[in-house]
Amino acid sequence: MRTRGAILLATIVTGVGLGYTVSNIGFADYGELNRMFTFQDLRMTLAFAGAVAILVCAFAILRVRRTPGRIHAGVIPGAVMFGAGWAISGGCPAIPIVQVAGGYLPAVITIAGIAVGMRLCRLVNSRYLRLDTGSCVS
């Protein structure tokens, strides 16, 4: 049986490696992301696909398995909103932090939008939707 420490270390090493790679290929640059989302430059798309392939291999080595069962009702609309937000703002939730660190201050608006969106999602879900959040409860 794997220890929690070994899993944590493997996760950290994989995350640092992926973060270093993603930063060096320009994933924090709005112009690069815009070219990717408008299919003007496939280099970023291929790099993203490569990163996903690396993670698939890491998960296979660590024997991480998807929890069996049906797909959660919020996955599809959540994925659409995530992708739209990423295309509009130029970053998924982690990228604006890199952008701010690199001096791109408009990314602060993206970070604020992420925080407000998370709060609104929790509010709407608790009052109206009542979708099971499963292991995503914080």
Side-chain angles (χ1 to χ4, degrees), residues 28-118:
D29 180 76
Y30 181 81
E32 290 285 339
L33 290 169
N34 182 274
R35 285 188 288 280
M36 176 183 77
F37 281 114
T38 56
F39 302 106
Q40 295 174 8
D41 185 0
L42 292 180
R43 181 183 65 85
M44 295 289 282
T45 305
L46 294 173
F48 190 82
V52 170
I54 290 169
L55 286 175
V56 166
C57 291
F59 281 11
I61 290 168
L62 294 172
R63 297 188 175 149
V64 175
R65 300 284 183 240
R66 180 175 121 26
T67 306
R70 64 185 182 92
I71 294 177
H72 187 277
V75 169
I76 301 300
V80 169
M81 289 189 298
F82 179 85
W86 191 9
I88 292 167
S89 70
C92 65
I95 298 302
I97 296 167
V98 175
Q99 290 172 333
V100 169
Y104 185 69
L105 296 182
V108 171
I109 296 168
T110 303
I111 294 170
I114 291 167
V116 169
M118 288 170 55

Side-chain angles (χ1 to χ4, degrees), residues 74 77 120-132:
L120 283 175
C121 179
R122 287 184 184 144
L123 176 70
V124 169
N125 188 41
S126 67
R127 288 192 180 172
Y128 305 109
L129 303 176
R130 293 183 176 79
L131 296 172
D132 175 24

